[in-house]
Amino acid sequence: MVATTLIVLLILIGLSIPVGAALGLLGLFLDNQFSMLPLTRAMGEIAWGTNNEFLLVAIPLFILLGEILLRSGFAEKMYNAMSLWLSWLPGGLMHANIGASTLFSATSGSSVATAATVGTVALPQIHKHGYNESLFLGSLAAGGTLGILLPPSINLVMYGVLTNTSVPKLYLAGIIPGLVMAALFVVTILVACLIKPQWGGQKVHASWSERFKSLVYLIPPMIIFLLVVGSIYAGLATPTEAAALGVTGALLLAACYGKLTLKMLRESIEGAMRASAMIMLIVLASGFLNFVMAATGITNALTSAIQGLGLSPVMMLVVVVIFYIVLGCFMETLSMMITTIPIIAPIMFALGYDPIWLGILIIVLVEMALITPPVGLNLFVVQSLRKAGSMTAVIVGALPFVVAMLVMVVLLSLVPSLALWLPNLMG
Amino acid sequence: MTTSVSLLARLYGWANQISRYAVWFGGAITIASVLLVTFDVLVRKFFGFNLGGADELSSYAFAVSTTWAFAFASLQRANVRVDVLYQYLPVRLSALVDWISLVGLGIFMAFLTFYAKDMVLASFTQGSTANSIMATPLWIPQGLWLIGLLWMCIVLALMLIRASVALVTGDIRTLKEVCGVRSAQEEAEEEAANGERMVKGNS
Amino acid sequence: QDYPATKVKVVGALSNLSLYNDYEKPFWTTVIPEASGGKVTADIKGFNEMGLKGPEVLRLMSQGVIEFGTSTLAYFASDNPINEAIDLAGLTTSVEEARQVTDAFLPAYQKFYEPTGVKVLGLSTYPAQVLFCNGNFGGLADLKGKKVRTSSRTQAEFVEAFGGTSVTMPFGEVVPALQNKVVDCAITGSMSGFDAKWYEVATHLYALPINWNQQIHAVNAKAWAKLDPKVQELISTKYVDLINNIWSAAAEQTQQGYDCNSGADACKAPVKGKMTLVTPSEEDKALLKKTFSEVVLPKWAARCSAECVRDFNATIGQVTGYTVTK
Ligand code: NA
Ligand code: NA
């Protein structure tokens, strides 16, 4: 039963059938083959129940927030401010890339949007200052991944919904690992540039007065962060409500910058609705598939097959990490999460792993998937931004950061309180 | 043959336009629910009462805007497809695979729409209402949600007809335009172009 | 006695609560197989483990997608207000009374569900649903101006009848919401609130059962008819014990919830809460009776059918003394 399921899934995916449809068709097939009950009739009820879920409303809102925010045009000024503060370090503007990505992540729920925005403003600087192109590109692709680890984050909301874990706690749990990861990226750049000083380009020097004046450009992202994340802990709002506050704030900001036009709104809407519809198609189909798998006993068979391996909790953890690294090379990240977490999370919980901690670990692995070849969406984004040159440069430049992420996985495993300290403070 | 092909192209254009309007409608109700939720949060904080139902209404808006955007997303080939093998296939074979994918999506959507219809009918005949103060008659949001699914089925049928004609006549270019995989690169390029336009502020 | 080999599929109640883990699951995985000499067995999973939300369980059962199933009766208020009849917020304030009301109305539910192809096997209950508040709370009058997390229409109407504001949010978000004062109070089972550590973020526990979330245990009529009469007999008989056991457990757990949240010695848990346990005064009980009969009950009667109101008066009315005209 388990084998048939896997083979059919591989065939459907191999035929490049849209992931949502592939999961749905698998559900139909399994019902037809293994069930005495007419499980397919539950399709409508399940799809409605899943689609009409207040927690998931955050998904279109985050995407919309990003679209509006980008169009309000403060990204460039924010990047310049970061470069004034960070570019004296060996590695110069590459640190500004990481800094700007970190800051932008605090307003963006998506990694791809973060990489696209920061990449756009940063790329013209490569040749100006004589950087090693490859590492510079890698820092953009990697920095962008922070978008889903630092709150707000679409992927954390999804994990929260899939595992019934508190989203505010997940948000808190992401903060320290996000900052540690940013620091690891900075260290990676420093180490690389100490070994090969010529990679570092020219440092950019700035006076303190310039620096302090530039701080004013950090205000817009701060406002959005306070609305989308701060409002939750200030007792103003639930996570979904906070996302709505963020969209309102972004609309107001765009209006202040004189960018709020009907045309801009229409384009933002088209982008946001299209992206969230495709995510939801996968979510609806996998809701149905999970029901069929549970009802036919396949979930149980799969779980006991994995448990039958008799792995210790540590070994199981190693297996899960390797599994996500390999899968992440080939799969788009949200579909990867939606399809695997319902199976893997309960097994890990049963072994005693903390749900919040596991969520953060999986997000770090998902971030890695964004910059591992052959399918790494952030790699592609950066490559398309530069328009010329070989893809290999981006891949090679991202590799040191993959190593940094592996270090992060080890750190998280050895020191779980990196993730758990803040949420535990909250109680 | 030519006239029927051009009729098909015209229908296709209409489908595109209607699907775009549907997305705008979805966006409009999404922004409306954003404003409603914001208002609700603010009055709850500062005046200590709330309208009630902002979460319920925005969940309905979310559900409806989701299905109303399905057709648009499919027409733009935004469906997530895994192209690990696909990218190595010879072009004719990959065209066949594209066609099969479209059929697969169509089958799934047809089932989903059929059983969604059953659910909406059940809500209608039983007079089901939301278990909330508002007691919304459920067939209304569910019905709107179903309309999105129905429209998706119609558009998929149209896409399938066009793709089949293209497949039979060997018009690979049209077939790819209808249902080819937008490679991850293609997608990222668009994302990047978006980013550029947005940051430079000429959007 | 010799039973034919039979395997049934069961969709159980919420899988993380005691009702499922300590009663329903052992019933199907141990009690029934042992009583039938291993002949009658079952696959059981909580509805949430199947990816269901709960309110679709009875519809799916009537369509034959689900054979045996359990879910919270009040969820189905959405399909028909009759499902709220025994669980209106404020209707009963002790587990004995709740049991009497439930038993009195069981025939009305059996009659109601029969045409939909669903056979009702019995009605059990969760422990009492009570108010957890962060901040001083002396009695029902204090609900005025408070934001209260509720999880059903009748709870919301109850809170609003006393001048409070009802807020809906997922169970998992309640702890941060209470802590940050997004809400002042929240209603849940006394023991589930303890298990979810609400005592860490709430200060006052009001020891008045507001309602119960009775569970409906049912089976698809066709699936039932296919079972051998001996198997039917076995399940029906054992079900009586199951329902009784769950009711006694609910009474114990309600008390245990009070003890553990307030840190009383009777609580056996290793970590206890320090909440202030507020016992309802006589005035409060009088206020409750008045508000229930003047606000909550008439609102419900207005949305339920004439027959449903008649059944209420004839059965529940006899037990509680509340009657209502439509
Ligand atoms: Na973020
Ligand atoms: Na990858």
Side-chain angles (χ1 to χ4, degrees), chain C residues 86-118:
Chain C
I86 58 172
D87 202 28
L88 290 165
L91 174 64
T92 56
T93 53
S94 72
V95 72
E96 296 78 20
E97 215 183 347
R99 178 90 209 246
Q100 284 171 358
V101 161
T102 305
D103 289 349
F105 209 67
L106 178 62
Y109 285 131
Q110 285 168 330
K111 183 179 69 181
F112 175 75
Y113 278 106
E114 205 195 329
T116 67
V118 170

CSV table of all heavy atoms in Angstrom, one decimal, chain C residues 86-118:
chain,number,residue,atom,x,y,z
C,86,ILE,N,-29.6,20.9,24.1
C,86,ILE,CA,-29.2,20.4,25.5
C,86,ILE,C,-28.0,21.1,26.0
C,86,ILE,O,-27.5,20.9,27.1
C,86,ILE,CB,-28.9,18.9,25.4
C,86,ILE,CG1,-27.8,18.6,24.4
C,86,ILE,CG2,-30.1,18.1,25.2
C,86,ILE,CD1,-27.3,17.2,24.5
C,87,ASP,N,-27.4,22.0,25.1
C,87,ASP,CA,-26.1,22.6,25.5
C,87,ASP,C,-26.1,24.1,25.4
C,87,ASP,O,-25.1,24.8,25.3
C,87,ASP,CB,-25.0,22.1,24.5
C,87,ASP,CG,-23.6,22.2,25.1
C,87,ASP,OD1,-23.5,22.2,26.4
C,87,ASP,OD2,-22.7,22.3,24.4
C,88,LEU,N,-27.3,24.7,25.6
C,88,LEU,CA,-27.4,26.2,25.6
C,88,LEU,C,-26.6,26.7,26.8
C,88,LEU,O,-26.7,26.2,27.9
C,88,LEU,CB,-28.9,26.6,25.7
C,88,LEU,CG,-29.7,26.3,24.4
C,88,LEU,CD1,-31.2,26.4,24.7
C,88,LEU,CD2,-29.3,27.2,23.3
C,89,ALA,N,-25.8,27.8,26.5
C,89,ALA,CA,-25.0,28.3,27.6
C,89,ALA,C,-25.9,28.8,28.7
C,89,ALA,O,-26.8,29.6,28.5
C,89,ALA,CB,-24.1,29.4,27.0
C,90,GLY,N,-25.7,28.3,29.9
C,90,GLY,CA,-26.4,28.7,31.1
C,90,GLY,C,-27.6,27.8,31.4
C,90,GLY,O,-28.2,28.0,32.4
C,91,LEU,N,-27.8,26.8,30.5
C,91,LEU,CA,-29.0,25.9,30.8
C,91,LEU,C,-28.8,25.1,32.0
C,91,LEU,O,-29.7,25.0,32.9
C,91,LEU,CB,-29.2,25.0,29.5
C,91,LEU,CG,-30.3,23.9,29.6
C,91,LEU,CD1,-31.7,24.6,29.8
C,91,LEU,CD2,-30.3,23.1,28.4
C,92,THR,N,-27.7,24.4,32.1
C,92,THR,CA,-27.5,23.5,33.3
C,92,THR,C,-26.2,23.9,34.0
C,92,THR,O,-25.2,24.3,33.4
C,92,THR,CB,-27.4,22.1,32.9
C,92,THR,OG1,-26.3,22.0,31.9
C,92,THR,CG2,-28.6,21.6,32.2
C,93,THR,N,-26.2,23.8,35.3
C,93,THR,CA,-25.0,24.2,36.1
C,93,THR,C,-24.4,23.1,36.9
C,93,THR,O,-23.5,23.4,37.7
C,93,THR,CB,-25.3,25.4,37.0
C,93,THR,OG1,-26.4,25.1,37.8
C,93,THR,CG2,-25.7,26.6,36.2
C,94,SER,N,-24.9,21.9,36.7
C,94,SER,CA,-24.2,20.8,37.4
C,94,SER,C,-24.2,19.6,36.4
C,94,SER,O,-25.0,19.5,35.6
C,94,SER,CB,-24.9,20.4,38.7
C,94,SER,OG,-26.1,19.8,38.4
C,95,VAL,N,-23.3,18.7,36.7
C,95,VAL,CA,-23.1,17.6,35.7
C,95,VAL,C,-24.4,16.7,35.8
C,95,VAL,O,-24.8,16.1,34.8
C,95,VAL,CB,-21.8,16.8,36.0
C,95,VAL,CG1,-21.8,16.0,37.3
C,95,VAL,CG2,-21.5,15.9,34.8
C,96,GLU,N,-25.0,16.6,37.0
C,96,GLU,CA,-26.2,15.7,37.2
C,96,GLU,C,-27.3,16.3,36.4
C,96,GLU,O,-28.0,15.5,35.6
C,96,GLU,CB,-26.6,15.7,38.7
C,96,GLU,CG,-25.6,15.0,39.6
C,96,GLU,CD,-24.5,16.0,40.0
C,96,GLU,OE1,-24.6,17.2,39.8
C,96,GLU,OE2,-23.4,15.5,40.4
C,97,GLU,N,-27.5,17.6,36.5
C,97,GLU,CA,-28.5,18.2,35.7
C,97,GLU,C,-28.3,18.1,34.2
C,97,GLU,O,-29.2,17.8,33.4
C,97,GLU,CB,-28.5,19.7,36.1
C,97,GLU,CG,-29.9,20.3,36.1
C,97,GLU,CD,-29.8,21.8,36.4
C,97,GLU,OE1,-28.8,22.3,36.8
C,97,GLU,OE2,-30.8,22.5,36.2
C,98,ALA,N,-27.0,18.2,33.8
C,98,ALA,CA,-26.7,18.1,32.4
C,98,ALA,C,-27.0,16.7,31.9
C,98,ALA,O,-27.5,16.5,30.8
C,98,ALA,CB,-25.2,18.4,32.1
C,99,ARG,N,-26.7,15.7,32.7
C,99,ARG,CA,-27.0,14.3,32.3
C,99,ARG,C,-28.5,14.1,32.1
C,99,ARG,O,-29.0,13.5,31.2
C,99,ARG,CB,-26.5,13.4,33.4
C,99,ARG,CG,-26.7,11.9,33.1
C,99,ARG,CD,-25.6,11.3,32.3
C,99,ARG,NE,-26.0,10.2,31.5
C,99,ARG,CZ,-25.7,8.9,31.6
C,99,ARG,NH1,-24.8,8.6,32.6
C,99,ARG,NH2,-26.1,8.0,30.8
C,100,GLN,N,-29.3,14.6,33.1
C,100,GLN,CA,-30.8,14.5,33.0
C,100,GLN,C,-31.3,15.1,31.8
C,100,GLN,O,-32.1,14.5,31.0
C,100,GLN,CB,-31.4,15.1,34.2
C,100,GLN,CG,-31.3,14.4,35.5
C,100,GLN,CD,-31.8,15.2,36.7
C,100,GLN,OE1,-32.2,16.3,36.6
C,100,GLN,NE2,-31.7,14.6,37.9
C,101,VAL,N,-30.8,16.3,31.5
C,101,VAL,CA,-31.3,17.0,30.3
C,101,VAL,C,-30.9,16.3,29.0
C,101,VAL,O,-31.7,16.1,28.1
C,101,VAL,CB,-30.6,18.5,30.3
C,101,VAL,CG1,-30.7,19.0,28.9
C,101,VAL,CG2,-31.3,19.4,31.3
C,102,THR,N,-29.7,15.8,29.0
C,102,THR,CA,-29.2,15.0,27.8
C,102,THR,C,-30.0,13.8,27.6
C,102,THR,O,-30.5,13.5,26.5
C,102,THR,CB,-27.7,14.6,28.0
C,102,THR,OG1,-27.0,15.8,28.3
C,102,THR,CG2,-27.2,14.0,26.8
C,103,ASP,N,-30.3,13.0,28.7
C,103,ASP,CA,-31.0,11.8,28.6
C,103,ASP,C,-32.5,12.0,28.1
C,103,ASP,O,-33.1,11.3,27.3
C,103,ASP,CB,-31.0,11.0,29.9
C,103,ASP,CG,-29.6,10.4,30.1
C,103,ASP,OD1,-28.8,10.4,29.2
C,103,ASP,OD2,-29.4,9.9,31.2
C,104,ALA,N,-33.0,13.1,28.7
C,104,ALA,CA,-34.4,13.5,28.4
C,104,ALA,C,-34.6,13.8,26.9
C,104,ALA,O,-35.6,13.5,26.3
C,104,ALA,CB,-34.9,14.7,29.2
C,105,PHE,N,-33.5,14.4,26.3
C,105,PHE,CA,-33.7,14.8,24.9
C,105,PHE,C,-33.2,13.8,23.9
C,105,PHE,O,-33.3,14.0,22.7
C,105,PHE,CB,-33.0,16.2,24.8
C,105,PHE,CG,-33.6,17.1,23.7
C,105,PHE,CD1,-34.9,17.6,23.8
C,105,PHE,CD2,-32.9,17.4,22.5
C,105,PHE,CE1,-35.5,18.4,22.9
C,105,PHE,CE2,-33.5,18.2,21.6
C,105,PHE,CZ,-34.8,18.7,21.7
C,106,LEU,N,-32.5,12.8,24.4
C,106,LEU,CA,-31.9,11.8,23.4
C,106,LEU,C,-32.9,11.3,22.4
C,106,LEU,O,-32.6,11.3,21.2
C,106,LEU,CB,-31.3,10.6,24.2
C,106,LEU,CG,-30.7,9.5,23.4
C,106,LEU,CD1,-29.5,10.0,22.5
C,106,LEU,CD2,-30.2,8.4,24.3
C,107,PRO,N,-34.2,10.9,22.8
C,107,PRO,CA,-35.1,10.4,21.8
C,107,PRO,C,-35.4,11.5,20.7
C,107,PRO,O,-35.6,11.1,19.6
C,107,PRO,CB,-36.4,10.2,22.7
C,107,PRO,CG,-35.9,10.0,24.0
C,107,PRO,CD,-34.7,10.8,24.2
C,108,ALA,N,-35.4,12.7,21.1
C,108,ALA,CA,-35.7,13.8,20.1
C,108,ALA,C,-34.6,13.8,19.1
C,108,ALA,O,-34.9,13.9,17.9
C,108,ALA,CB,-35.8,15.1,20.8
C,109,TYR,N,-33.3,13.6,19.5
C,109,TYR,CA,-32.2,13.5,18.5
C,109,TYR,C,-32.3,12.3,17.7
C,109,TYR,O,-32.0,12.3,16.5
C,109,TYR,CB,-30.9,13.6,19.2
C,109,TYR,CG,-30.5,15.0,19.8
C,109,TYR,CD1,-30.1,15.2,21.1
C,109,TYR,CD2,-30.7,16.1,18.9
C,109,TYR,CE1,-29.8,16.4,21.5
C,109,TYR,CE2,-30.4,17.3,19.4
C,109,TYR,CZ,-29.9,17.5,20.7
C,109,TYR,OH,-29.7,18.8,21.1
C,110,GLN,N,-32.7,11.2,18.3
C,110,GLN,CA,-32.7,9.9,17.5
C,110,GLN,C,-33.8,10.1,16.4
C,110,GLN,O,-33.6,9.7,15.3
C,110,GLN,CB,-33.0,8.7,18.4
C,110,GLN,CG,-31.8,8.3,19.2
C,110,GLN,CD,-32.0,7.4,20.3
C,110,GLN,OE1,-33.1,7.4,20.9
C,110,GLN,NE2,-31.0,6.6,20.7
C,111,LYS,N,-34.9,10.7,16.8
C,111,LYS,CA,-36.0,10.9,15.8
C,111,LYS,C,-35.5,11.9,14.7
C,111,LYS,O,-35.8,11.7,13.6
C,111,LYS,CB,-37.2,11.5,16.6
C,111,LYS,CG,-38.4,11.8,15.8
C,111,LYS,CD,-39.5,12.4,16.6
C,111,LYS,CE,-39.2,13.8,17.1
C,111,LYS,NZ,-40.3,14.4,17.9
C,112,PHE,N,-34.8,12.9,15.1
C,112,PHE,CA,-34.3,13.9,14.2
C,112,PHE,C,-33.3,13.4,13.2
C,112,PHE,O,-33.4,13.7,12.0
C,112,PHE,CB,-33.7,15.1,14.9
C,112,PHE,CG,-33.1,16.2,14.1
C,112,PHE,CD1,-33.9,17.1,13.4
C,112,PHE,CD2,-31.7,16.3,13.9
C,112,PHE,CE1,-33.4,18.0,12.6
C,112,PHE,CE2,-31.2,17.2,13.0
C,112,PHE,CZ,-32.0,18.1,12.4
C,113,TYR,N,-32.4,12.5,13.6
C,113,TYR,CA,-31.4,12.0,12.7
C,113,TYR,C,-31.7,10.8,11.9
C,113,TYR,O,-31.1,10.5,10.9
C,113,TYR,CB,-30.1,11.8,13.5
C,113,TYR,CG,-29.3,13.0,13.7
C,113,TYR,CD1,-29.2,13.7,15.0
C,113,TYR,CD2,-28.7,13.7,12.6
C,113,TYR,CE1,-28.6,14.9,15.1
C,113,TYR,CE2,-28.0,14.9,12.8
C,113,TYR,CZ,-28.0,15.5,14.0
C,113,TYR,OH,-27.4,16.7,14.2
C,114,GLU,N,-32.8,10.1,12.3
C,114,GLU,CA,-33.2,8.9,11.6
C,114,GLU,C,-33.4,9.1,10.1
C,114,GLU,O,-32.8,8.3,9.3
C,114,GLU,CB,-34.4,8.3,12.3
C,114,GLU,CG,-34.5,6.8,12.0
C,114,GLU,CD,-35.9,6.2,12.3
C,114,GLU,OE1,-36.5,6.8,13.2
C,114,GLU,OE2,-36.3,5.3,11.6
C,115,PRO,N,-34.1,10.1,9.7
C,115,PRO,CA,-34.4,10.3,8.3
C,115,PRO,C,-33.1,10.6,7.5
C,115,PRO,O,-33.0,10.4,6.3
C,115,PRO,CB,-35.3,11.5,8.2
C,115,PRO,CG,-35.8,11.8,9.6
C,115,PRO,CD,-34.8,11.1,10.5
C,116,THR,N,-32.0,11.0,8.2
C,116,THR,CA,-30.8,11.4,7.4
C,116,THR,C,-29.9,10.1,7.3
C,116,THR,O,-28.8,10.2,6.8
C,116,THR,CB,-30.0,12.5,8.1
C,116,THR,OG1,-29.5,12.0,9.4
C,116,THR,CG2,-30.8,13.7,8.4
C,117,GLY,N,-30.4,9.0,7.8
C,117,GLY,CA,-29.5,7.8,7.7
C,117,GLY,C,-28.5,7.7,8.7
C,117,GLY,O,-27.4,7.0,8.5
C,118,VAL,N,-28.7,8.4,9.9
C,118,VAL,CA,-27.7,8.3,10.9
C,118,VAL,C,-28.4,7.8,12.2
C,118,VAL,O,-29.5,8.2,12.6
C,118,VAL,CB,-27.2,9.7,11.2
C,118,VAL,CG1,-26.4,9.7,12.5
C,118,VAL,CG2,-26.3,10.2,10.1
